[in-house]
Amino acid sequence: MMPSSLFAAFALMTAAAVMAVLWPLARRRPLKDEKAADLAVYRDQLAELERDQAAGRLPAAQAEAARVEVSRRMLATADAAPEPAQDPVRARSRRRLAAGLALVGVPLAAIGLYVMLGTPGLPGAPLAARLAAPPDRTDVAILVRKVEDHLAANPSDGQGYEILAPVYLRLGRVDDAVRAYAQAIRYLGDSAERRASLGEALVVQADGIVTKDAVAAFQAALAQDPTSPRARYFLGLAAEQDGRKDEAAAIWTKLVQDSPPNAPWLGLVRTALGRIGAPVPPPPSAAGLSGSVLRRDAAPGTPPLAAPSLAAPSLATPPGPNAQDVEAAAQLDAAGRAQMIQGMVDRLQQRLDADPKDLDGWLRLVRARTVLGERDKAVAALAAARAAFADDASAQARLGALANELKIGPEAGN
Amino acid sequence: MIAEIGQYALILALALALVQMVVPAWGAAKGDPVLMGVAAPVALAMLIFVGGAFACLVALYVTSDFSVANVVENSHSQMPLVYKITSTWGNHEGSMLLWALVLAVFGALVALFGGNLPDRLKANVLAVQASIATAFLLFILLTSNPFLRVLSPPGEGRDLNPVLQDPGLAIHPPLLYLGYVGLSIAFAFAIAALIEGRIDAAWARWVRPWTLTAWIFLTLGIAMGSYWAYYELGWGGWWFWDPVENASLMPWLAATALLHSAVVMEKRDALKVWTILLAILAFSLSLIGTFLVRSGVLTSVHAFATDPLRGVFILAILVVFIGGSLALFALRAGELRQGGLFAPISREGALVFNNLFLTAATASVFVGTLYPLALEALTGDKITVGPPFFNLTFGGLMLPLVFAMPFGPLLAWKRGDLLGVAQRLMLAAGFAVVAAVVTAAATAAVSEERGPVLAPVAIGLAVFIIAGALTDIAERAGIGRVSARLAVRRLTGLPRSTFGTAIAHLGVGICLLGIVSESAWSLEKIAAVRIGETVTIGTRDLTLARVENRAGPNFTSRVAVFEIREGGISQGTVEAAKRQFAARQMATTESGIRTFGFSQLYVSIGEEHADGALSMRATWKPFVTLIWLGAVVMALGGLLSLADRRLRVGAPKPARMRRGALPAAAE
């Protein structure tokens, strides 16, 4: 909905633009003598020659020759054919047409383009006004910012980091989340929960890969709380990604056996067990653990879950999903989640197909395909990446190393 | 609300540009004065709307309105006000809007001050201008819209690229754009002349002030860019033959050639076709310059792939304007009446010599810049064309050109006397030889290794240019031939454009002096120092006094303070720093520069090692500031020339009094 003040401003501006065209059309204006302007220049040139000669800067002979030349130009100008007279009837119809163009064409073109490009219903949001808004009307981004400002003034307030870290993760600000968890551990002390959270954030940062740092974090968590389900799940994942499937199966099987029957993470663990072909021990269902792994999807640069409908192109993409998006993602069931992961990976594939010169993207894709159990697609992606970096030895080396690690390269008998 | 008003203003500007493109040109074809009269008011209205849109964008940046994508991506609420304003054009979208604004400013200037132009020429010029504006406004609105909104605004922006957080951004792009876009007027004049099929000496005089204005801004813009790169990038080079720099150098070379050939056209009605072609080429090169920098094609050919619409649009604009104007040129150039014969040794001949060398130099830069890109696009091979290529080709072309420079203004029109001119330059040549010998002797005395052999010769050449420029003025005033009083009278009576020529040429000499000194006799020391340790460079001792942390508005910096001593006497301190910007996780180097006379001491710092030592680089750059001072002097010469009353034909002439006084003085 367009506010009325904006509508009034647009109306005034349009009227001004139309008037700028109509006003000169309404004036009677005789044609200036075309020759007068030329003659003025030549007369000035003659005067200059005179001045130069009088001041002794130009010998008489040269001055005379130049004078003859300029005079010849003057004569040529004066000889030129005169302007033909205007036909008043035709002139009037021409001007009517031009006026019509201004009156109809300018507003139509302007409104048409604006409907395409504008977002009239969206109010402006100067930062100062947002910071001053009452708390109940404040947006998530501003709440985050207020905590950040507080932390900038009190950098050792661990509580602040602990509050911010999961919010960062949900907003897709993964690097900030990792930093915040690390600070929380530093100022609030170590705990299994914090270590596991840090480890999870590190996994999200590495696009689902359980890196060496993440493993260290999970092991630290286990050292303090040997039952930590999150640490155990991810250590199992690390084993799977390293190709130690038996070990992964052992960790996960033990986790399922230790869990209460209604534990929210059971679905995820069972799916993982199914993926590596291990026998799945009984008990119940339900979903839920590392929803945040999925949230990487909403990171800046990739399209958000629910694309904003009004301001179309990619520039308008908000840097993170809003609170509702996050809520929605958290409430997805296991199947929906799997679908989302699949969608994410497919999008990565599309992006790389369009712009293949992204080595890190390819490495991520190959890994993701392998983790999802899509071995054929992983092999295809590897081949495409090798083709894209055909003349880049270091890229080839990295791709080869990955193929070895995942055992999908030709070296692995493929 | 502000964002939407800005958006709508920009759209209205596009609608008006379309009107201004069609109606006046139609009027000119039909000889209808009323339709032609639409051009000027619409051009002014367009300035108001584009200016309004630009003001809206500035307001959005100043208030950190993060509901606008462009503001989110290039701004930070903690930046000082001046950088909030400059970030408006420190990005692709905003800089294109600045381009359009400058275009509208020039259109409005022609509308306001083009009263002395024939109606038809003025209408056609403004119509051609409007066609350029149409293309740019469409490009901005459809592919690079700075007013796109964000549905859920973030709490902080992603900051402006730290390298751009510098006063240089406030000055350099506006100056450069005034230069680039100013050339669009010369282009519009050329196209208008081709459309009318009529061109004469008067045309050259009308175009001259616009070309001159553009040239002045371009000169200052390039010099400013060079100085900015010098102090910001941290290793003290002032010209890198980087494609982005070359993109601004090419239009400058073409504009310089255009200025000189327009003089021949104005005075002798000759070189008309060539001048038109140069006007087209100069603006085409600015278009290429603008887009090469902005599209990112220069950094990678793949930039086209990341945003295909933008790339295709840019290509279309280049093809339509460059291809279209050259096609029109091919079609109409044959109809243009030629005139004015001259001998090879004459002022005209000298100016043709100038044009040949300048265009050849432009071509060499063009090839060196674009060949690697073309090769990569076609075959995928990456090659680098570096300073050796440019120094050899460009330098090789510049040397004869600058050597001939003092001769040109002294030659007479039509048929000149080279021997006579050579005699008059004897004194200047004498100075040059003395300067070369003194330089050679001085360098031999100071150090055992004699330094580059050619350097003293180049110093001699620079002195020759400077003395030659002064000789020109002295000759015209008759110093040495007439009485002192009369000489002073004549000197003050000289037209300003004569001073303009001499001073601009003088600027070239000064600039050359700086270039030669800096490249031949710079001293450099790279060391790792602990606090209290001293590095000696030339006659100066640099002692690391302390290293400290300082907090800036949106960055933290690590500052190293060095004490400077010469012969044990303290000469104050110099501070070099590294800045860390949190939002982008980027660091910049802030070099410390102290100026002594025309020379500079340049200090930059690198890593701090675990043992407390700090990597540093100190450079002594003799007479380095002359490089930029020379450019400023050149621009000053242009300004004087612009102030010449001859360029204001049609204005009331204030010369009556002087005209009465002069004949009496000349006896």
Side-chain angles (χ1 to χ4, degrees):
Chain A
M1 201 39 227
M2 181 190 280
S4 56
S5 54
L6 191 62
F7 184 78
F10 283 6
L12 266 175
M13 287 159 74
T14 317
V18 171
M19 281 314 296
V21 187
L22 289 186
W23 175 63
L25 280 175
R27 279 184 312 172
R28 285 190 189 289
R29 195 163 167 280
L31 190 60
K32 246 189 347 195
D33 185 4
E34 288 273 299
K35 295 167 191 168
D38 288 289
L39 291 176
V41 170
Y42 298 137
R43 265 197 295 276
D44 193 71
Q45 283 187 333
L46 283 180
E48 188 193 339
L49 284 172
E50 210 172 286
R51 273 199 308 279
D52 278 357
Q53 195 186 353
R57 293 191 296 261
L58 199 61
Q62 273 186 37
E64 192 48 42
R67 245 196 299 278
V68 169
E69 221 177 273
V70 176
S71 307
R72 213 180 288 142
R73 281 177 220 156
M74 287 178 97
L75 287 176
T77 308
D79 279 349
E83 268 311 309
Q86 289 281 308
D87 175 354
V89 180
R90 287 199 168 179
R92 205 173 306 133
S93 61
R94 269 200 301 270
R95 287 162 205 179
R96 283 221 181 104
L97 190 60
L101 181 77
L103 213 52
V104 181
V106 168
L108 268 189
I111 292 166
L113 254 179
Y114 183 75
V115 167
M116 242 175 81
L117 299 171
T119 317
L122 198 61
L127 188 66
R130 289 167 70 200
L131 287 172
D136 57 315
R137 296 185 51 198
T138 318
D139 41 84
V140 180
I142 286 301
L143 289 176
V144 170
R145 194 207 152 99
K146 281 185 171 164
V147 181
E148 280 171 345
D149 289 348
H150 166 78
L151 284 175
N154 310 283
S156 58
D157 180 2
Q159 205 67 49
Y161 296 109
E162 183 132 285
I163 293 170
L164 270 187
V167 181
Y168 278 146
L169 208 54
R170 264 181 230 149
L171 289 176
R173 291 167 63 177
V174 184
D175 296 343
D176 289 328
V178 169
R179 258 195 300 276
Y181 276 125
Q183 294 288 49
I185 291 170
R186 181 170 160 198
Y187 292 114
L188 295 180
D190 217 343
S191 83
E193 184 58 32
R194 286 186 197 118
R195 281 287 171 191
S197 299
L198 172 65
E200 187 181 347
L202 285 168
V203 172
V204 178
Q205 193 177 33
D207 290 296
I209 307 303
V210 187
T211 57
K212 211 182 275 176
D213 287 346
V215 167
F218 292 125
Q219 276 164 349
L222 272 191
Q224 295 174 66
D225 172 13
T227 66
S228 167
R230 244 193 312 183
R232 289 161 73 189
Y233 169 73
F234 279 108
L235 285 173
L237 194 60
E240 184 200 351
Q241 288 171 358
D242 284 349
R244 293 175 277 124
K245 292 216 170 127
D246 298 343
E247 197 179 324
I251 294 175
W252 285 333
T253 311
K254 183 95 187 355
L255 178 56
V256 173
Q257 286 160 354
D258 290 353
S259 300
N262 59 347
W265 56 81
L266 274 175
L268 194 71
V269 181
R270 286 155 58 89
T271 316
L273 279 169
R275 187 173 63 225
I276 57 171
V280 182
S285 70
L289 170 62
S290 71
S292 47
V293 171
L294 312 175
R295 291 179 198 125
R296 180 63 171 178
D297 187 35
T302 53
L305 305 176
S309 52
L310 274 169
S314 61
L315 264 183
T317 305
N322 58 25
Q324 288 85 15
D325 290 337
V326 176
E327 203 68 0
Q331 280 165 7
L332 281 177
D333 57 16
R337 225 173 269 243
Q339 214 173 346
M340 266 176 55
I341 298 183
Q342 193 70 50
M344 237 169 80
V345 176
D346 289 343
R347 271 201 293 283
L348 179 60
Q349 173 95 54
Q350 280 164 15
R351 187 162 66 72
L352 290 170
D353 286 343
D355 173 23
K357 288 286 176 201
D358 175 5
L359 183 60
D360 288 330
W362 282 114
L363 293 171
R364 223 182 300 145
L365 181 67
V366 172
R367 226 179 246 285
R369 290 288 190 209
T370 314
V371 171
L372 288 173
E374 299 172 326
R375 195 188 141 81
D376 295 346
K377 287 187 179 170
V379 172
L382 187 66
R386 285 208 153 127
F389 291 90
D391 48 0
D392 184 339
S394 76
Q396 290 292 344
R398 285 182 65 188
L399 288 166
L402 180 70
N404 273 337
E405 182 191 333
L406 301 176
K407 302 197 170 50
I408 54 169
E411 298 86 349
N414 188 31
Chain B
M1 172 132 165
I2 293 176
E4 298 306 311
I5 288 181
Q7 173 90 82
Y8 194 65
L10 204 57
I11 291 175
L12 278 176
L14 172 65
L16 287 177
L18 282 165
V19 171
Q20 191 191 328
M21 178 171 82
V22 176
V23 175
W26 187 26
K30 297 285 179 193
D32 187 329
V34 172
L35 293 191
M36 290 192 246
V38 169
V42 172
L44 291 174
M46 204 167 85
L47 171 62
I48 291 172
F49 283 114
V50 178
F54 190 80
C56 284
L57 192 60
V58 172
L60 292 170
Y61 267 95
V62 169
T63 58
S64 296
D65 189 330
F66 295 130
S67 71
V68 176
N70 194 250
V71 181
V72 176
E73 272 156 38
N74 303 291
S75 180
H76 193 281
S77 64
Q78 307 288 310
M79 280 196 292
L81 181 64
V82 54
Y83 295 154
K84 281 188 190 172
I85 295 172
T86 56
S87 2
T88 310
W89 57 83
N91 60 83
H92 169 77
E93 289 81 2
S95 73
M96 283 287 111
L97 186 58
L98 177 66
W99 212 98
L101 175 64
V102 177
L103 192 69
V105 166
F106 273 102
L109 285 178
V110 173
L112 282 178
F113 299 107
N116 57 346
L117 300 176
D119 280 345
R120 182 168 289 162
L121 182 63
K122 187 175 168 184
N124 276 330
V125 165
L126 284 173
V128 174
Q129 257 261 316
S131 70
I132 302 169
T134 304
F136 269 85
L137 290 173
L138 262 180
F139 176 72
I140 292 173
L141 285 169
L142 297 184
T143 73
S144 314
N145 194 334
F147 293 110
L148 288 183
R149 309 291 299 277
V150 172
L151 286 184
S152 43
E156 186 52 273
R158 290 188 212 147
D159 210 347
L160 176 67
N161 185 343
V163 175
L164 299 180
Q165 294 191 26
D166 186 276
L169 183 64
I171 312 165
H172 170 62
L175 280 179
L176 203 60
Y177 280 12
L178 281 165
Y180 278 164
V181 181
L183 288 175
S184 76
I185 302 285
F187 173 81
F189 267 95
I191 300 300
L194 288 174
I195 291 173
E196 285 186 50
R198 201 181 69 99
I199 185 168
D200 46 34
W203 182 93
R205 183 169 284 201
W206 290 318
V207 177
R208 201 168 140 73
W210 301 105
T211 316
L212 205 48
T213 309
W215 181 87
I216 292 168
F217 283 123
L218 208 48
T219 308
L220 291 174
I222 294 173
M224 178 67 219
S226 156
Y227 189 65
W228 187 13
Y230 167 77
Y231 73 72
E232 179 68 30
L233 295 184
W235 61 275
W238 51 270
W239 193 264
F240 305 86
W241 292 113
D242 173 279
V244 176
E245 288 173 325
N246 295 347
S248 66
L249 182 63
M250 289 187 283
W252 184 84
L253 291 168
T256 312
L258 175 61
L259 272 182
H260 289 88
S261 79
V263 173
V264 179
M265 182 162 162
E266 179 185 335
K267 293 279 190 187
R268 295 296 326 281
D269 209 21
L271 292 189
K272 290 198 279 198
V273 175
W274 172 244
T275 304
I276 294 267
L277 182 63
L278 272 182
I280 292 175
L281 286 182
F283 181 61
S284 302
L285 288 168
S286 344
L287 272 185
I288 293 177
T290 307
F291 280 136
L292 284 190
V293 175
R294 293 267 48 106
S295 68
V297 178
L298 280 182
T299 37
S300 157
V301 184
H302 302 293
F304 266 121
T306 54
D307 194 344
L309 181 62
R310 207 179 263 178
V312 169
F313 215 116
I314 287 175
L315 221 54
I317 290 182
L318 292 180
V319 167
V320 167
F321 283 97
I322 301 178
S325 57
L326 288 177
L328 185 66
F329 175 79
L331 213 65
R332 290 295 196 120
E335 295 174 26
L336 298 178
R337 198 167 43 86
Q338 278 289 21
L341 297 169
F342 54 87
I345 302 290
S346 60
R347 180 87 64 88
E348 297 93 318
L351 289 166
V352 168
F353 179 89
N354 149 302
N355 268 232
L356 279 179
F357 276 81
L358 279 176
T359 37
T362 314
S364 82
V365 177
F366 189 82
V367 168
T369 309
L370 292 186
Y371 176 68
L373 290 178
L375 194 69
E376 196 192 333
L378 293 176
T379 66
D381 294 341
K382 271 185 199 258
I383 60 160
T384 322
V385 173
F389 168 83
F390 290 108
N391 289 345
L392 199 68
T393 58
F394 184 79
L397 286 163
M398 280 295 127
L399 279 183
L401 181 63
V402 293
F403 177 74
M405 211 162 67
F407 290 86
L410 287 169
L411 282 165
W413 291 100
K414 272 185 157 175
R415 191 177 300 116
D417 172 11
L418 192 57
L419 209 64
V421 171
Q423 277 170 354
R424 281 185 270 171
L425 282 172
M426 283 309 276
L427 191 62
F431 275 127
V433 171
V434 170
V437 170
V438 168
T439 313
T443 41
V446 170
S447 71
E448 294 89 62
E449 10 155 0
R450 254 180 280 144
V453 184
L454 279 178
V457 178
I459 292 288
L461 181 61
V463 170
F464 179 59
I465 295 165
I466 294 171
L470 296 175
T471 307
D472 179 28
I473 294 289
E475 274 294 324
R476 278 167 205 272
I479 292 171
R481 283 186 284 118
V482 296
S483 74
R485 264 183 60 202
L486 180 53
V488 170
R489 280 255 180 82
R490 276 196 187 178
L491 198 64
T492 48
L494 281 177
R496 282 184 208 152
S497 63
T498 305
F499 280 111
T501 306
I503 288 179
H505 286 184
L506 192 89
V508 176
I510 292 177
C511 186
L512 185 61
L513 215 55
I515 293 174
V516 174
S517 315
E518 196 274 339
S519 32
W521 297 296
S522 279
L523 301 171
E524 188 185 62
K525 272 272 170 68
I526 298 173
V529 287
R530 286 189 192 78
I531 289 172
E533 286 183 349
T534 299
V535 166
T536 303
I537 179 149
T539 57
R540 289 179 176 77
D541 294 327
L542 273 173
T543 311
L544 178 59
R546 58 187 187 274
V547 183
E548 60 197 28
N549 290 324
R550 288 182 202 164
N554 54 338
F555 59 85
T556 53
S557 61
R558 187 93 179 127
V559 185
V561 182
F562 294 90
E563 271 165 14
I564 309 171
R565 278 170 196 282
E566 186 172 21
I569 300 154
S570 173
Q571 293 191 318
T573 59
V574 60
E575 295 181 352
K578 269 191 167 317
R579 287 184 184 167
Q580 181 69 36
F581 289 77
R584 290 211 179 200
Q585 293 293 312
M586 268 177 74
T588 60
T589 56
E590 299 293 314
S591 45
I593 298 177
R594 275 287 303 272
T595 307
F596 298 94
F598 291 117
S599 310
Q600 288 188 328
L601 182 65
Y602 186 110
V603 182
S604 58
I605 57 172
E607 299 300 308
E608 271 183 273
H609 303 288
D611 60 352
L614 174 72
S615 298
M616 66 158 306
R617 201 163 138 278
T619 321
W620 174 250
K621 295 181 169 289
F623 299 107
V624 68
T625 55
L626 290 184
I627 297 174
W628 305 292
L629 269 178
V632 172
V633 170
M634 279 188 238
L636 210 64
L639 204 64
L640 261 178
S641 202
L642 192 62
D644 194 300
R645 47 177 295 282
R646 286 179 312 145
L647 298 179
R648 297 188 302 259
V649 177
K653 298 190 179 75
R656 184 140 304 196
M657 201 176 63
R658 233 198 297 164
R659 204 184 291 177
L662 279 171
E667 296 168 65

